[in-house]
Amino acid sequence: PTGEGFGKQMLLILISVIIIGWFFVAAARKGQMVPGRLQFLGEWSYNFVRNSIGRDIIGEKDFKSFTPLLFTLFFFILINNLWGTIPLAQLPTTSHVGTAYALAAIVYFTWIIVGIRKHGLGYFKFATVPSGVPMAILPLVELIEIISTFLVRPITHSLRLFATMLSGHLIIMLAGAGTSFLLLEAEGLLKPLGVLTLVGGVAMFLFEVLIQVLQAYVFTLLTAIYIQGSIAEEH
C-alpha cells in the first residue's frame, strides 16, 4: 500500500528487526571456543562490518564506538533490500523514499554531532574551509563546500539507495510481466520470445540480488567515510 498508516512496508521492517535480533542473539548465545555454523556465521558477519568498514575506514583509534551503528545499518538495509527478491514479500522497503530519508537523516545528524564533539562549533569552519585555498576564491569555495557537504551529501546518500532499489524492483516486475504475457497469452512468432524474456528476467533477478547486497555495503561505507571526515584532524 502507498497510503499512510501501517501496511506491508512497515510489517516487513518489523519482521526484519525481529530476524536480525533473533539471528545474532542465537549466534552469540553459546559462545563456544570452537564455533558451530550459526556462531561462525554471526561472528564472521560482525567482523566483516567491524574490520572491513569500521576499522579500515575510520581508523584503529576511533572505530570501536561507531561499530554498533555501522553494524546495525548494514544488516538492517541488507535484509530490507533483500525483501524485494523473496517470494510473497517482493518489496524492498528501502524502495520507499521515506525509509531512505530516515536512514540518511540518522547518519547526517550523527556525523555532524560527532564533528561538533571533536572540534566544537569550529567544526563548521573545519568542514567548509579547505586549507591552502587562496583568499581570492575562498568565498566561492566555501559556498560550494557548504552546499555539497550539508545539502547535497544527505540527499545523494538517501536517493542512491532509494533509486537503485526502486529501479531494480521495477525492472524485475516488467520482466516477469513480459514473460507471463509472451508465454501464456501471445500467439505466433511472439511466443518464443517469452523464453528470451524469461532468461533475461532470471539474469536480472540475480543481478538485483548482487545490487541489493552492494547497496547495503555502499550506504554503510559512506557512513564510515562521513564519520571519518568529521573526526579527522585536517580537512
Side-chain angles (χ1 to χ4, degrees), residues 33-54:
M33 289 296 295
V34 179
R37 294 179 180 178
L38 189 62
Q39 182 181 338
F40 172 80
L41 182 57
E43 291 177 354
W44 180 88
S45 301
Y46 173 79
N47 287 330
F48 170 74
V49 177
R50 178 185 184 274
N51 299 330
S52 299
I53 301 179

Side-chain angles (χ1 to χ4, degrees), residues 175 178-179 181-183 186-200:
T179 301
F181 171 77
L182 291 171
L183 288 178
E187 298 178 356
L189 296 176
L190 288 178
K191 206 170 189 68
L193 292 178
V195 177
L196 294 178
T197 58
L198 176 61
V199 173

Side-chain angles (χ1 to χ4, degrees), residues 129-185:
V129 182
S131 59
V133 177
M135 287 297 298
I137 62 171
L138 183 59
L140 177 60
V141 172
E142 187 171 2
L143 177 61
I144 293 173
E145 288 289 328
I146 290 172
I147 294 173
S148 64
T149 301
F150 294 104
L151 297 178
V152 175
R153 179 187 290 182
I155 293 174
T156 56
H157 198 197
S158 59
L159 292 184
R160 182 184 292 107
L161 176 63
F162 154 72
T164 306
M165 290 301 98
L166 178 61
S167 60
H169 188 53
L170 291 176
I171 290 171
I172 291 177
M173 289 177 60
L174 289 173
T179 301
S180 176
F181 171 77
L182 291 171
L183 288 178
L184 300 179
E185 299 183 30

Side-chain angles (χ1 to χ4, degrees), residues 121-132:
L121 292 179
Y123 164 70
F124 294 101
K125 179 180 179 180
F126 167 83
T128 58
V129 182
S131 59

Side-chain angles (χ1 to χ4, degrees), residues 46-68 70-71 220-221 224-225 227-228 231:
Y46 173 79
N47 287 330
F48 170 74
V49 177
R50 178 185 184 274
N51 299 330
S52 299
I53 301 179
R55 185 174 62 188
D56 290 353
I57 301 300
I58 299 176
E60 187 72 38
K61 179 182 176 182
D62 301 303
F63 82 98
K64 291 182 180 179
S65 59
F66 301 107
T67 298
L70 299 175
F71 174 80
T220 311
L221 181 70
I225 291 173
I227 292 173
Q228 193 279 332
I231 63 177

